[in-house]
Amino acid sequence: EVQLVESGGGLVQPGGSLRLSCVASGFTFSNYNINWVRQAPGKGLEWVSYISSSSSITYYADSVKGRFTISRDNAKNSLYLQMNNLRDEDTAVYYCAREGILSDTNSYYYYALDVWGQGTTVTVSS
Amino acid sequence: EIVMTQSPATLSVSPGERATLSCRASQSVSSNLVWYQQKPGQAPRLLIYGASTRATGIPARFSGSGSGTEFTLTISSLQSEDFAVYYCQQYNSWPNTFGHGTRLESK
């Protein structure tokens, strides 16, 4: 079964740090780009960060740039998100999501987040 | 950054009826538009990619259309399991922004 499982969430004080992990199974992890997406309580989805399959390319949302670092270990089928200097507004469920390259009936290819983990909850509060 | 605007925020439709959800991009995203469905307490699920192609296992009552800046998700005959929140996401340029979602509720 194709699966992503996040862990590492918890309660942390403002200014603190946390490291999230995401372990993949059921597919060749090293072939796929992976994203972190978060969802604040009662709010919509917010894209957070992206890492290419070989770790050569990373992107961050402006809201986390300079505070969060995405990384991966393909030998361990694992993705990480190091979160430093956490703020109240970082409180959210954090999902890791696989970026699939999917074809249509005309053999055009498109990107989409085709596999999602169940999420891990981060609460930033004093 | 491309801003994605979904309308309406909440849509009330009776089971068996048709639902039409809209997503507008602040600039052209070509056909690089994705739709997701999210039920309470669950992760999002991929519905539509490339603006109009159903993902594996998605029922034919779900259809997507549009290109450029205007997109539509149509559910032809609503089933009880379709009441959820629907998000669009553009995959044309970074950051790959989401819309704020449309909550589809039973009338």
Side-chain angles (χ1 to χ4, degrees), chain A residues 101-118:
Chain A
I101 304 175
L102 308 167
S103 64
D104 68 4
T105 54
N106 295 314
S107 298
Y108 290 113
Y109 287 85
Y110 298 95
Y111 293 98
L113 302 179
D114 64 345
V115 178
W116 295 67
Q118 86 290 348

Side-chain angles (χ1 to χ4, degrees), chain A residues 15-123:
Chain A
S17 298
L18 212 54
R19 189 195 196 206
L20 306 184
S21 298
C22 170
V23 177
S25 60
F27 65 97
T28 305
F29 180 70
S30 59
N31 287 350
Y32 288 87
N33 307 325
I34 308 289
N35 293 256
W36 286 101
V37 176
R38 68 184 180 184
Q39 187 169 36
K43 303 297 184 182
L45 302 172
E46 179 189 14
W47 172 81
V48 173
S49 186
Y50 160 99
I51 188 166
S52 63
S53 57
S54 64
S55 302
S56 59
I57 300 172
T58 59
Y59 296 122
Y60 298 92
D62 286 346
S63 57
V64 307
K65 201 173 294 182
R67 300 187 299 122
F68 289 12
T69 302
I70 191 171
S71 62
R72 64 192 294 165
D73 184 338
N74 286 342
K76 295 182 178 179
N77 291 336
S78 294
L79 171 77
Y80 307 102
L81 187 67
Q82 178 66 44
M83 305 186 296
N84 297 331
N85 191 20
L86 283 160
R87 305 167 179 168
D88 291 351
E89 55 265 33
D90 295 319
T91 293
V93 175
Y94 285 74
Y95 296 101
C96 58
R98 186 181 83 171
E99 182 178 273
I101 304 175
L102 308 167
S103 64
D104 68 4
T105 54
N106 295 314
S107 298
Y108 290 113
Y109 287 85
Y110 298 95
Y111 293 98
L113 302 179
D114 64 345
V115 178
W116 295 67
Q118 86 290 348
T120 187
T121 301
V122 173
T123 304

Side-chain angles (χ1 to χ4, degrees), chain B residues 5-74:
Chain B
T5 302
Q6 291 187 243
S7 61
T10 303
L11 181 62
S12 297
V13 183
S14 299
E17 296 293 301
R18 173 188 297 255
T20 303
L21 290 67
S22 295
C23 175
R24 174 179 295 178
S26 60
Q27 63 190 79
S28 177
V29 299
S30 186
S31 293
N32 298 306
L33 192 285
V34 184
W35 289 96
Y36 303 93
Q37 176 194 66
Q38 188 180 33
K39 297 179 180 179
Q42 296 185 15
R45 176 174 74 143
L46 174 64
L47 286 180
I48 301 281
Y49 61 89
S52 61
T53 302
R54 283 188 303 278
T56 301
I58 302 303
R61 64 180 181 274
F62 290 90
S63 63
S65 63
S67 66
T69 61
E70 301 284 343
F71 301 89
T72 300
L73 174 68
T74 301

